[in-house]
C-alpha cells in the first residue's frame, strides 16, 4: 500500500493567507465603468470579424469546410431528413390545429435560418416536435426523446421515440381561444379556409412572441434557466404528454369531427366525448388507421433493431403517405366514404405578413411555457451531439438562432419551431457533418412546396394521426424504469409521479409548472433535512468520517467535531441549531446551571480557602460547609464545526453562528470553525462574528482545528478559583 507523510504547521485562515496570499493579492484592480464601456465599444477589423463569427457562425465554419470529406455525408443526410420532414411536418401541423401545408412551411424556413445562425453541427430544426433521451446519461436539460450514441456506441438501454408535445401545447392554446372546429363536416370549404386562417394567424403570433422572448433571453444571457427542468420532471412530463397526444389523435383516427377539449381533465373529456360519439365512427377512416398502424409499427421496430446495419432508416412515413394518397385518389374515398383528406396544398410560398400582434396579450403566459420547453429541447440536443463529436456550442447563441428563426418564420405563416431529435438523430446517423445538410433538407422541402405539394391533396388525415401516434410507441415503456428509480432515489420517484399525475389530470403547461415547483420544493426539503454528523478520526491519519458510518473512526477525547453538508439559511437554521444542541448537549438549562455555579463560586471565593494537604488540593467549601462544584463537561472542551459542506450562508444563518459562539462561551466550550469557503467566511466576518471569535479559532481544515484542540486541551479546561496556603 502506498503511504503519504506530510509535515507542516497548523494553519488558521489568517496564517494561511499571510503565507500563501489572498484573492485580493491576485486580482487586478477592477475596471471602471468608463473602461468597461471603452473596451466593449472598441472597434477594429479583428473585433468586427470576431463578432461576426460569433453571431453568424456560418461565416466561421463555411470557409473551413472540407468539401471532399464532408459534402457527400451532408448531401445524403440532408436529403434523408428532407424526406422525413414532409410527412412529419404535415402530421405535426394537424396536431397544432392548423392546415397541413403550414407544416411544410415550418419545415423549410427555420431550417435555413438555423443553418446561418446555429452552432450545433447536427441539429435539425423544423416543425415543432420534441424528443427525449430515455436514459440521458449526459442529460443537459434534454427534453424530448431519442436514441443517442455516446462515445461512438449506442447504449442498449436507450430507446428512440419522437414526441410531439410542443405541437400539442401550441394546438391547445389555439383551441382554447378559437372554438370553431374546422373539421366539422357541415362547413363549406370557404368557411374551413377562414377558420384555418384564424388558427395559423394565432400560431404565427405565438411563434413571433416565442422568438421575441428568446431574443430577449439572449440579450439578458438567461440561457441557464432551462436547467430547472430536472431529469425526473422531463421523463414524467414527456410520458404524460404522450397520453395527451395519443388521446387527441383518436378522434382523427376514427373520423369523428369532435372539438379538442382544453384545460384541466382534457384527457378524460376527450375520452368521454369519443365514447359518446362512437356510433358516428367513420368505418373507412378506422380501417385506414388500423392498416397504417399495422405497417408503420413493424417498420419502426426494424429501424430500431437494425439501426447499426442500416445506412439510413426505412422511410416508413413517406411510403405510407404515398401509398395512402394514391389509393384515396384512385378510389375516391373522400367522396364515396367521406374520408377527411388534407385538401388543397397550394404551390409556392405565402406572401409575407406580420402576425396578428393584437392577440399576443392573450397568449403570453402559454407562450412563455412553450418557449421554455422549446429552448430546453434545442440546447440539450446541441450539447449532446457536440459532446459526442467533440465540438463546442454557445447556449446563448442558440437562443438567438432559434429566436430569429421563429420571428422570421412567423412572417411566412409558420407555427413555433425548435430542434427535433427524430430528424437530428437521422441526420447524424446518415453521415451529416455540418449545418450545410440543412441546405439540402430545405431543397427537398422546396421541391415539394413548388411542384409536388398538390399531389398530397388526397392524403387522409387519419394517416397523419397514425404517424403521430406511432412516433410515441416507445414512450410508454418508460414505466419500466420506475422500479429502478424507486431503488435509486425515492425523492426523484415522487417527483416523477407528481409531475406525471399533474400533466395527465391538469394540462401540459400547468402540469409542467407543478412538476418544477414540486421538484424545487424537494430540494428545499432536502436542505432542511440534511444530516448533522459527528466525525471521528481514523487512527494514525488525518481522515475524518462520520462515526455512525465508520466503526473504526473514533472521537478525540474532549473534542466534538460536527459536520453539516447543507447551506445554512433561514429555512433550516432552527433545525441545524436544534440538532447541534441535542448532539452537544448545549441546552439553556445547562447554561443556566453553569452560570449559577460560576456566580456561587465567585461569591464563595472571598470566604473559602483551598488547603493543600500532602500534595492534594481539598475541595472548595463555603463557610457554612456547603460544597461548591463547577459542572465539568469532561466530554467536550472544544466544539469544531466542519464548514466545508456549507456552500453558502445567509444573514439568518450567520446570526445563528454568533448565537452559537455566545452560548458555547457560556457553556465553557471552545468553538472552532474549519474549512469555511471564501463566501461563507466573508458573510460571517461582515456580520461581526470576529467580535465573538478570535482569528485563532478559524482553521483551514478539520485536521488543523483538531490538532490545535488536542494540543491545547488543558488550557481550554476551565479551572476553579483556588488559593494556595
Amino acid at each position: 500500500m502506498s503511504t503519504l507523510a506530510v509535515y507542516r504547521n497548523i494553519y488558521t485562515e489568517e496564517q494561511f493567507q499571510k503565507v500563501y496570499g489572498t484573492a485580493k493579492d491576485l486580482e487586478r484592480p477592477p475596471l471602471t465603468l468608463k473602461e468597461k464601456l471603452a473596451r466593449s465599444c472598441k472597434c477594429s477589423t479583428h473585433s468586427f470579424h470576431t463578432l461576426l463569427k460569433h453571431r453568424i457562425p456560418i461565416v466561421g465554419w463555411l470557409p473551413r469546410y472540407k468539401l471532399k470529406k464532408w459534402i457527400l455525408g451532408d448531401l445524403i443526410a440532408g436529403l434523408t431528413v428532407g424526406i422525413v420532414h414532409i410527412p412529419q411536418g404535415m402530421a405535426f401541423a394537424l396536431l397544432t390545429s392548423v392546415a397541413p401545408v403550414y407544416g411544410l412551411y415550418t419545415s423549410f424556413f427555420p431550417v435555413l435560418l438555423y443553418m446561418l445562425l446555429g452552432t450545433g453541427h447536427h441539429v435539425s430544426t423544423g416543425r415543432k416536435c420534441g424528443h427525449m433521451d430515455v436514459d440521458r446519461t449526459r442529460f443537459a436539460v434534454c427534453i424530448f426523446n431519442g436514441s443517442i450514441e455516446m462515445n461512438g456506441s449506442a447504449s442498449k438501454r436507450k430507446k428512440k421515440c419522437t414526441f410531439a408535445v410542443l405541437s400539442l401545447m401550441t394546438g391547445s392554446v389555439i383551441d382554447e381561444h378559437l372554438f370553431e372546429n374546422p373539421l366539422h363536416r357541415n362547413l363549406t370549404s370557404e368557411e374551413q379556409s377562414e377558420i384555418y386562417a384564424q388558427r395559423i394567424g394565432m400560431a404565427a403570433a405565438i411563434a413571433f412572441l416565442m422568438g421575441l422572448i428568446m431574443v430577449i433571453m439572449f440579450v439578458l444571457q438567461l440561457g441557464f434557466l432551462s436547467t430547472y427542468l430536472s431529469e425526473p420532471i422531463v421523463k414524467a412530463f414527456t410520458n404524460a404528454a404522450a397520453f395527451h397526444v395519443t388521446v387527441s389523435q383518436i378522434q382523427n383516427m376514427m373520423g369523428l369531427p369532435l372539438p379538442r377539449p382544453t384545460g384541466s381533465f382534457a384527457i378524460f373529456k376527450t375520452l368521454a366525448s369519443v365514447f359518446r360519439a362512437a356510433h358516428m365512427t367513420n368505418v373507412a377512416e378506422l380501417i385506414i388507421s388500423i392498416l397504417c398502424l399495422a405497417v408503420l409499427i413493424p417498420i419502426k421496430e426494424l429501424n430500431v433493431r437494425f439501426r447499426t446495419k442500416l445506412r439510413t432508416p426505412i422511410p416508413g412515413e413517406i411510403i405510407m403517405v404515398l401509398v395512402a394518397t394514391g389509393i384515396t385518389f384512385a378510389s375516391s374515398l373522400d367522396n364515396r366514404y367521406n374520408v377527411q383528406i388534407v385538401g388543397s396544398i397550394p404551390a409556392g410560398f405565402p406572401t409575407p405578413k406580420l402576425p396578428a400582434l393584437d392577440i399576443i396579450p392573450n397568449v403570453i403566459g402559454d407562450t412563455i411555457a412553450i418557449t421554455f420547453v422549446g429552448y430546453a429541447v434545442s440546447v440539450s440536443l446541441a450539447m449532446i451531439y457536440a459532446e459526442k463529436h467533440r465540438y463546442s456550442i454557445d447556449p446563448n447563441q442558440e437562443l438567438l438562432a432559434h429566436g430569429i428563426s421563429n420571428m422570421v418564420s412567423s412572417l411566412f405563416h409558420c407555427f413555433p419551431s425548435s430542434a427535433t431529435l427524430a430528424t437530428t438523430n437521422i441526420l447524424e446517423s446518415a453521415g451529416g457533418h455540418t449545418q450545410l445538410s440543412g441546405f439540402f433538407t430545405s431543397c427537398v422541402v422546396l421541391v415539394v412546396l413548388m411542384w409536388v405539394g398538390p399531389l398530397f391533396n388526397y392524403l387522409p388525415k387519419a394517416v397523419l394521426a397514425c404517424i403521430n401516434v406511432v412516433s410515441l410507441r416507445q414512450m410508454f415503456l418508460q414505466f419500466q424504469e420506475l422500479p429502478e428509480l424507486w431503488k435509486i432515489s425515492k425523492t426523484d420517484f415522487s417527483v416523477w409521479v407528481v409531475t406525471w399525475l399533474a400533466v395527465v389530470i391538469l394540462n401540459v403547461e400547468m402540469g409542467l409548472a407543478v412538476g418544477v415547483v414540486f421538484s424545487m420544493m424537494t430540494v428545499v426539503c432536502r436542505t432542511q433535512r440534511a444530516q448533522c454528523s459527528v466525525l471521528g478520526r481514523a487512527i494514525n491519519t488525518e481522515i475524518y468520517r462520520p462515526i455512525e458510518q465508520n466503526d473504526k473512526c473514533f472521537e478525540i477525547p474532549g473534542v466534538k467535531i460536527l459536520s453539516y453538508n447543507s447551506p445554512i439559511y433561514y429555512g433550516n437554521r432552527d433545525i441545524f441549531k436544534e440538532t447541534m444542541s441535542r448532539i452537544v448537549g448545549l441546552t439553556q438549562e445547562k447554561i443556566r446551571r453553569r452560570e449559577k455555579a460560576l456566580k456561587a463560586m465567585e461569591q464563595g471565593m472571598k470566604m473559602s480557602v483551598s488547603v493543600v494537604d500532602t500534595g492534594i488540593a481539598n475541595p472548595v467549601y463555603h463557610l457554612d460547609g456547603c460544597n461548591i462544584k463547577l459542572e465539568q463537561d469532561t466530554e467536550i472542551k472544544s466544539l469544531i464545526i466542519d464548514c466545508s459542506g456549507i456552500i453558502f450562508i445567509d444573514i439568518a444563518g450567520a446570526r445563528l453562528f454568533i448565537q452559537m459562539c455566545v452560548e458555547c462561551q457560556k457553556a465553557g466550550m471552545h468553538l472552532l470553525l474549519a474549512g469555511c469557503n471564501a463566501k461563507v467566511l466573508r458573510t460571517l466576518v461582515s456580520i461581526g462574528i470576529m467580535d465573538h471569535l478570535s482569528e485563532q479559532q478559524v482553521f483551514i481544515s478539520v485536521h488543523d482545528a483538531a490538532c490545535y484542540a488536542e494540543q491545547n486541551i488543558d488550557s481550554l479546561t476551565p479551572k476553579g478559583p483556588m488559593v494556595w496556603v
Side-chain angles (χ1 to χ4, degrees), residues 324-342:
T325 302
I327 293 176
T328 303
F329 175 76
S331 305
S332 299
L333 296 181
D334 56 323
N335 294 325
R336 296 173 60 185
Y337 300 103
N338 203 20
V339 172
Q340 287 290 310
I341 60 175
V342 168

Side-chain angles (χ1 to χ4, degrees), residues 117-137:
L117 302 173
T119 58
H121 299 181
H122 301 85
V123 174
S124 175
T125 62
R127 67 275 182 278
K128 186 181 175 186
C129 62
H131 313 271
M132 173 184 171
D133 177 12
V134 176
D135 189 18
R136 283 195 330 174
T137 304

Side-chain angles (χ1 to χ4, degrees), residues 470-707:
V470 170
S471 66
L472 307 173
R473 73 200 184 287
Q474 295 285 355
M475 180 58 63
F476 301 105
L477 297 180
Q478 288 187 51
F479 287 110
Q480 298 176 357
E481 298 180 3
L482 290 181
E484 182 181 1
L485 183 61
W486 172 263
K487 294 179 182 178
I488 296 173
S489 172
K490 293 178 175 56
T491 301
D492 288 341
F493 179 87
S494 65
V495 172
W496 199 102
V497 172
V498 169
T499 304
W500 189 89
L501 290 175
V503 174
V504 169
I505 296 175
L506 302 177
N507 56 48
V508 176
E509 297 86 352
M510 185 61 67
L512 178 61
V514 170
V516 172
V517 171
F518 183 78
S519 178
M520 296 179 70
M521 288 300 298
T522 62
V523 174
V524 174
C525 291
R526 276 183 275 191
T527 62
Q528 292 181 325
R529 296 188 304 168
Q531 185 177 8
C532 186
S533 304
V534 178
L535 301 185
R537 182 165 63 192
I539 299 176
N540 297 326
T541 71
E542 80 293 349
I543 300 173
Y544 296 81
R545 290 291 185 269
I547 58 175
E548 64 270 17
Q549 300 174 7
N550 302 270
D551 58 356
K552 294 185 179 180
C553 290
F554 304 99
E555 291 190 74
I556 302 170
V559 179
K560 182 74 72 174
I561 307 174
L562 300 183
S563 175
Y564 193 68
N565 296 316
S566 172
I568 298 179
Y569 63 106
Y570 68 93
N572 67 353
R573 65 183 297 272
D574 293 333
I575 299 175
F576 170 69
K577 183 178 184 299
E578 179 183 351
T579 305
M580 186 209 70
S581 299
R582 185 181 68 253
I583 293 175
V584 178
L586 188 63
T587 62
Q588 292 299 321
E589 181 181 356
K590 179 179 180 180
I591 294 174
R592 284 194 299 268
R593 286 202 308 266
R594 178 178 171 80
E595 289 178 339
K596 183 178 180 180
L598 286 173
K599 184 176 181 181
M601 290 184 65
E602 291 175 358
Q603 293 176 352
M605 178 180 177
K606 301 175 182 179
M607 305 178 65
S608 62
V609 178
S610 179
V611 180
V612 179
D613 185 12
T614 64
I616 301 176
N618 292 326
V620 179
Y621 290 93
H622 280 301
L623 291 181
D624 58 4
C626 296
N627 187 7
I628 302 176
K629 290 185 179 180
L630 177 65
E631 183 178 353
Q632 294 292 324
D633 293 323
T634 55
E635 303 88 2
I636 304 176
K637 300 298 185 299
S638 294
L639 174 62
I640 301 174
I641 298 181
D642 178 14
C643 301
S644 59
I646 303 174
I647 57 176
F648 75 87
I649 187 170
D650 69 352
I651 188 171
R655 286 176 176 165
L656 173 62
F657 268 71
I658 293 178
Q659 182 182 349
M660 289 164 49
C661 291
V662 174
E663 292 182 355
C664 284
Q665 290 171 1
K666 292 180 178 179
M669 298 181 192
H670 197 60
L671 181 64
L672 305 177
L673 303 182
C676 297
N677 66 51
K679 291 184 178 179
V680 170
L681 190 57
R682 189 181 304 117
T683 302
L684 293 174
V685 172
S686 299
I687 205 169
I689 197 171
M690 303 314 293
D691 296 336
H692 305 272
L693 285 180
S694 70
E695 294 177 343
Q696 300 300 316
Q697 293 175 258
V698 184
F699 294 85
I700 63 171
S701 70
V702 173
H703 190 56
D704 288 82
C707 291

Side-chain angles (χ1 to χ4, degrees), residues 60-100:
W61 62 260
L62 189 58
R64 301 194 306 270
Y65 189 83
K66 299 177 182 179
L67 186 64
K68 294 182 179 180
K69 184 177 180 180
W70 292 343
I71 188 63
L72 182 60
D74 283 341
L75 176 63
I76 295 175
L79 295 178
T80 304
V81 172
I83 292 173
V84 175
H85 263 300
I86 296 167
Q88 287 195 352
M90 292 188 290
F92 288 112
L94 182 66
L95 194 59
T96 314
S97 297
V98 297

